[in-house]
Every structure is written in structure tokens, then in C-alpha cells.
Amino acid sequence: MKQRRVRFAPSPTGPLHMGGVRTALYNYLYAKQAGGKFILRIEDTDSHRFVPGSEEYVIESLHWCGIVPDEGVDKDGKIVETPCAEHPHAPYRQSQRKHIYRKYAEQLVSTGNAYYAFDTPEELDALRKEAEAKKSSFTYNYHSRTSLKNSLTLPAEDVERRLAQESGWTIRFKIPENRVVKMNDLIRGDIEVNTSTLDDKVLWKRTDELPTYHLANIVDDYLMEITEVIRGEEWLPSLPLHYLLYEAFGWEENRPQFAHLSLLLKPDGKGKLSKRDGDRLGFPVFPLQWTNEDGEISHGYREDGYFPEAFVNILAFLGWNPGNEQEIFTLEELIEVFSLERVVKSGARFNHDKAKWYNQEYLRRKSTKELVKAFRALEGERLSAFDDNYIGAAVELIKERAYFVHEFWNLCGFLFEAPQEYDPSGVNKFWKDDIKGIIPQVAHFLENMEPFSSNVIEENLENLIITRSWGMGKVMNTLRLLLVGRSSGPGVADIMEILGKKEVLRRISNAIARLG
RNA sequence: GGCCCUAUCGACUAGUUGGUUAGGUCGCAACUCUCUCAAGGUUGAAACACGAGUUCGAAUCUCGUUGGGGCUACCA
């Protein structure tokens, strides 16, 4: 079997959305499992919508996820522009392949599969508005093209003159009339469409003298020897055109197989997931943070504290499952078990809670060493006076209660800074006259405790409290309040062990002094 | 409007050759553990969109309806 070659082909019109990352991921998994190549190609044939920085954003996003292209991007993370052994099909940016497409577009005209059209955008707009007024719609097709300005209707000399004189003309594909195109999709099975419902799509644009997606895409997939096209469902309606193009070029033998992925839907309401949903519902829709030209910041999974492994896992399970009950998969494991047959056909709704759960699962799987490093990266200054062992003990105490590393400080900051104030409702509830007499006795008892370890503290303290009939809850909750300033948190004995005897006694006496 | 795709708990989904108490995960609830809050453990509520048809028997096959999604640009 020949080598599998798949591609991810985003257009640089802004930040890559998580749905795009999922498409890239599925392509990557498919390629890696088959021992094939994953290619990145930049489809920048729309000069008007180009957004600076989006190409770099795509590459950085994929890199963060560990979805690294085999072809199209060099070791420095740049799109390859000149062919070499590893990147034989360069350039991988379509704007730099313009000369290639022109030839193929004209080939289609000469074989009668396409024609020059001279209608201006304004003329076509007018026709659309006119049709709209009559509650119908204008379509450039077998029916209407006979009455429009193109090389099919105009005399040959007129066409010659226009091609020579006029700067603007487009090339349109001549969709055959009343034929059934039989297609196959790896996920959806057989699909049939009658060509009479299709329109004569523009293949070559007059406005920026570049091919449209349809032409560039087919030519590049052919030239780059792509074997499977795994892309979003929004392309399904143009699949018949793409089939027809392969046929018109005589490339049917080399036509890739297609797989159309369902779209990611809004968590609530209607429609597909969009940029705005993230801000509205409080979760990121982009892998990495993005700042647009107006300075507006969109959240990114990376900056919001998601681990890339978790993000990849979340994406993989949005529209695919392994068929068993395992939910946590590394990239390597996903490569092993992924299959297009198990991709779900209907759209998947993103769920923020489940995404957080995934991150929590990955957080729990991290070693203390890794978490200490991540914690330091986030809270460097506040932790600088403490060594890794101390921070490690703190992390181990609270890691089970966190979804994200950025929650660590709130969960265990009291181990690094003595409380500045005491939760008023806790004070109100616990700091009563009887306990005021008990706490100094407890402090005195702790002074002589050796070793000052969680188990010893727990056991002895419990004995003391029970013997004196003080009440476990009352004493322990008060101690927690005095030690950390709050009435909730980890076990008191565990907190004491990490703080150490000296600090514990200091905090208790400070608290007594402060609270009176 | 037209064309195409799609339809199982609130969400993600299993259920690939028709026969299951329709399973799992997130979330939710209760109980439990417990010095608090989490976490953990146990349990529970929760779904085959609807209508025909085929069949002894349909979540599963067929048709229709309805819902959802996409496309309908000289955007991708």
C-alpha cells in the first residue's frame, strides 16, 4: 500500500479555532497510525482577508499540542518556500504557487470544462438582488450562463478582445447538466448529487488574480499526492464540484478519499461554535490567547491553564471514541487506537465542565516535581524563599482539590504567607469564650510534641480533645481558622506538619493577640 | 427558499450481523467518610424526536414528518 499523505490546510484569516485544531489532530492521528506524512499547507488565496500573525499562530498552536507537521514547516517553525528532500512540494503557501494554478485553469478552458466569464461583481450583484425581489435566487449555471457575458456566449473575436484588453475576467467551471455524481465519504458512506443543483463556481478570481479555494485545493492535493482529505463538514456541499474537477483533469485514479468531520456546536442555543461564545460563556475557543488589531484579547487554552495533553484529549473525544470505556489517552495512545470509522457523524457540543475534568485528571497524573515547576512558573516571587521540598509538600496537600495549577495559590497560599486577616464568619462561629481558654492549652501541648508530624499530631491531639471533652470539631476548626485565616481547607494536622512547630505556635499566638 | 449532512439521558457518547434490566463519562442529587471544604466510596434521577411500514420481534432496516447543522461569494 502506498504511503498515506494527509494535509491540514488552514487559511490565515485569524486565530485557529479549536475545531480547526481538532481537524488537524484527526489528520495527524490518521497519518501517524499509517506511518504516513502529515502536511501543513497555507491556503492564502484570499488576499483581502489575510490577517498578519495567523500563520505563526497556527504553527505555534500545533506545536503546543504536539501535532507537528512532517512536511511544510521547517525546524525553525517557518513555512517552507523552496523544495528540498524533506519538503519536496514547496512552496507550501498557495499565494506563492500562483503560476502553477494558472496553467491548470487554462487547461480546463481548453478542454471545454471551464470558460471565461466577463460579468462584473456589480452585474452579478444586481442579478441576485433582482432575483431576490422575485423571491427566487440567481444561480450561475447551465440555465443562466447562456444569457450572460462569457466565452460560451460571446463571439470568439469578442472574447479575444476582452481577454487582451480587459484586466478583469474570471474562469468558471462548466458544471455538466443533469448528471448524478456518485461520491463516497469515509465517515458518511455513499452520497449522490444531481449536477443540475450545482452552480458554475469561479475557479480563477479577477479581483486578486488568484485561484479560488476549489481550484488551488484540488491542484495541490493532486500535486502533493494527498491520499485522504480529512476536513470540516462545511466542505461537503462542494464535494461534487471537487469530484467533477478531478474528472475534468483526468485525475480520477489519483483522487484522494474524503472524510468530512461534523462541526463543533455551541454549548447552548443554536449554531456552530464561534469566537464570541468563549467570551460569552467563559471558556476559550482558541488554543492560544489571541489579541486582535483592536487590542481585544481572546482567551486561549494554554493561557487559561490547560495542559496540552488534556486539550488534545478533549478535542479527540469531541466526535470520536475508542469504543471502550477508556477516556484518558495520550497522543501516542490516540495514534494507536484512532480510526475514522469511529468518528461520530453528528455535531458535537462542547462542554466546559467535562473539559475541566479532563484537565484535573491530567493534573493528578503529573509528578510533584512537574507541578512544583509549574507552580513556580506562575507564582515565582511569592515562592522564591521556599525550597522545592517545601513547595512539593504543599502541592501534594492540595493537588487533589485543583483543576488547574493557577488555583494552587488560593488553595495553599497560607503555607507561604501567614494570614493577614481572619474570615469574619469563621471568627463569629468559632472564636467564642470557652475556646479562648482552650487554645492556649492546646498550644502548650503542641510545644512538647515530638516528632511534629501529621500522624503524631493527629493522634495526640485527638486523644487530648477527647479526654478533655472539648469537642473535635470545635477545636480543630478553630485551629484551622487561627492557622490559615479560613474555616475550610486541608486537614489541620497536615497543615501543621508542613508549617512546622515554630510557625504553628507563632501563628496561634499572633491570632490570639489579633482576635483578642 | 434550494441542495447536502444529521438525530440515544442536560452534555459527550456505547449500542456495527434486528432479541440488552439501553452501558460508560461529565454534570446533578442523596448517602457515606470526616475537624471543615474538597477529593474518595456507594447509590439514584436522567435518553432511543414523532408517525407509518417491514418483522414473531425495531434504538437498530425502509419511508415520511419534525428538529438540528452546513452550504447556497470573484471567502476559505
Side-chain angles (χ1 to χ4, degrees):
Chain A
M1 188 158 143
K2 77 177 170 182
Q3 189 189 48
R4 305 286 91 186
R5 291 172 57 81
V6 301
R7 86 296 191 283
F8 177 56
S11 56
T13 54
L16 185 62
H17 166 283
M18 62 191 286
V21 181
R22 187 189 62 161
T23 303
L25 173 64
Y26 287 8
N27 271 283
Y28 174 84
L29 296 176
Y30 184 88
K32 291 291 137 183
Q33 186 179 72
K37 296 267 195 244
F38 172 59
I39 298 147
L40 181 71
R41 186 172 73 215
I42 301 296
E43 309 226 322
D44 55 347
T45 54
D46 186 351
S47 50
H48 307 287
R49 289 208 308 158
F50 177 76
V51 174
S54 28
E55 192 178 289
E56 293 76 8
Y57 183 95
V58 168
I59 294 167
E60 196 183 346
S61 298
L62 295 183
H63 181 80
W64 180 64
C65 294
I67 309 172
V68 182
D70 300 298
E71 218 179 289
V73 183
D74 65 20
K75 288 173 190 67
D76 300 324
K78 298 265 181 288
I79 298 294
V80 181
E81 300 185 13
T82 45
C84 62
E86 300 98 281
H87 308 281
H89 301 287
Y92 289 87
R93 212 180 267 124
Q94 289 186 328
S95 58
Q96 296 171 326
R97 301 170 62 80
K98 182 178 167 179
H99 59 286
I100 299 173
Y101 312 120
R102 178 68 182 265
K103 183 179 71 185
Y104 286 107
E106 279 165 359
Q107 179 189 326
L108 252 23
V109 176
S110 63
T111 54
N113 288 294
Y115 57 90
Y116 294 103
F118 304 102
D119 319 271
T120 66
E122 294 74 32
E123 287 168 342
L124 295 174
D125 265 355
L127 285 166
R128 286 197 185 91
K129 286 210 175 71
E130 196 181 304
E132 210 174 300
K134 289 187 230 161
K135 285 189 175 177
S136 68
S137 61
F138 169 75
T139 313
Y140 210 120
N141 62 9
Y142 68 97
H143 195 71
S144 62
R145 67 178 165 235
T146 54
S147 57
L148 292 156
K149 278 188 277 179
N150 54 55
S151 59
L152 265 19
T153 57
L154 266 21
E157 57 271 26
D158 201 0
V159 171
E160 287 298 319
R161 187 184 53 77
R162 282 170 181 269
L163 284 175
Q165 291 177 0
E166 295 182 18
S167 58
W169 42 264
T170 66
I171 293 175
R172 282 181 183 270
F173 190 69
K174 191 179 168 190
I175 296 278
E177 190 182 340
N178 195 27
R179 248 190 62 196
V180 173
V181 185
K182 292 180 195 294
M183 299 160 286
N184 182 268
D185 182 281
L186 260 12
I187 296 169
R188 293 155 206 282
D190 293 328
I191 302 168
E192 293 187 1
V193 172
N194 189 300
T195 53
S196 295
T197 64
L198 271 26
D199 64 331
D200 290 356
K201 276 274 175 293
V202 169
L203 260 23
W204 190 270
K205 299 180 278 183
R206 95 197 287 176
T207 52
D208 47 14
E209 297 185 311
L210 244 22
T212 58
Y213 168 86
H214 303 291
L215 207 232
N217 187 267
I218 266 62
V219 169
D220 280 347
D221 284 347
Y222 170 75
L223 260 20
M224 295 183 180
E225 301 170 81
I226 300 302
T227 54
E228 281 82 17
V229 170
I230 304 168
R231 68 202 335 183
E233 195 184 13
E234 70 269 28
W235 295 110
L236 202 47
S238 46
L239 186 59
L241 169 67
H242 298 168
Y243 261 66
L244 258 15
L245 277 165
Y246 278 101
E247 187 186 305
F249 280 123
W251 295 340
E252 283 170 299
E253 293 294 308
N254 299 297
R255 184 181 61 217
Q257 290 197 278
F258 292 88
H260 291 88
L261 270 20
S262 62
L263 271 12
L264 257 31
L265 271 21
K266 289 181 196 295
D268 65 335
K270 296 180 174 186
K272 62 175 175 177
L273 189 64
S274 71
K275 299 184 183 195
R276 296 202 164 260
D277 293 320
D279 304 325
R280 188 170 59 85
L281 298 161
F283 66 86
V285 294
F286 299 113
L288 274 34
Q289 191 178 85
W290 171 265
T291 308
N292 72 7
E293 55 271 15
D294 298 329
E296 288 171 323
I297 296 172
S298 294
H299 283 247
Y301 281 86
R302 187 227 257 160
E303 289 75 11
D304 274 20
Y306 283 83
F307 297 112
E309 312 91 288
F311 181 57
V312 163
N313 203 149
I314 291 163
L315 253 24
F317 270 67
L318 240 31
W320 172 87
N321 72 82
N324 59 34
E325 282 167 9
Q326 187 181 342
E327 302 231 33
I328 304 296
F329 284 86
T330 62
L331 237 200
E332 290 67 35
E333 290 170 327
L334 286 170
I335 291 168
E336 284 291 312
V337 301
F338 181 77
S339 74
L340 284 174
E341 293 76 53
R342 295 206 64 88
V343 171
V344 177
K345 289 187 274 197
S346 52
R349 233 171 261 278
F350 173 76
N351 186 274
H352 192 28
D353 282 326
K354 187 116 187 210
K356 281 161 69 180
W357 174 79
Y358 268 111
N359 208 65
Q360 182 185 41
E361 289 293 315
Y362 277 88
L363 191 150
R364 287 178 177 184
R365 283 165 167 76
K366 296 274 180 195
S367 67
T368 299
K369 198 179 160 191
E370 288 173 288
L371 292 175
V372 167
K373 200 179 159 195
F375 193 18
R376 269 198 198 280
L378 231 46
E379 308 286 351
E381 289 162 44
R382 290 153 137 182
L383 301 177
S384 57
F386 299 86
D387 65 23
D388 281 2
N389 284 339
Y390 187 87
I391 299 172
V395 162
E396 277 169 21
L397 183 66
I398 50 88
K399 64 181 278 193
E400 294 290 313
R401 22 200 349 134
Y403 289 98
F404 299 100
V405 174
H406 61 66
E407 295 168 338
F408 281 9
W409 181 261
N410 186 42
L411 256 16
C412 69
F414 53 77
L415 295 173
F416 305 95
E417 288 174 1
Q420 300 301 306
E421 51 195 31
Y422 301 86
D423 168 42
S425 73
V427 173
N428 208 25
K429 189 174 175 190
F430 298 114
W431 194 240
K432 299 196 170 137
D433 287 340
D434 58 338
I435 200 81
K436 288 180 188 176
I438 292 168
I439 291 298
Q441 297 180 55
V442 173
H444 181 71
F445 181 73
L446 289 170
E447 262 177 65
N448 300 312
M449 195 167 297
E450 286 299 337
F452 202 71
S453 68
S454 175
N455 287 342
V456 174
I457 297 167
E458 173 114 48
E459 199 184 321
N460 289 312
L461 215 45
E462 196 179 326
N463 281 339
L464 178 75
I465 292 166
I466 290 170
T467 318
R468 306 280 176 92
S469 300
W470 285 335
M472 273 297 271
K474 197 163 75 177
V475 176
M476 295 305 252
N477 283 318
T478 307
L479 281 171
R480 180 183 293 100
L481 179 69
L482 303 186
L483 290 171
V484 311
R486 283 187 257 177
S487 42
S488 68
V492 171
D494 292 326
I495 293 172
M496 285 185 174
E497 176 181 328
I498 295 173
L499 249 21
K501 189 191 287 181
K502 199 176 145 196
E503 176 69 7
V504 166
L505 295 172
R506 196 178 67 87
R507 288 192 183 190
I508 291 175
S509 65
N510 279 351
I512 293 171
R514 294 265 305 273
L515 294 171

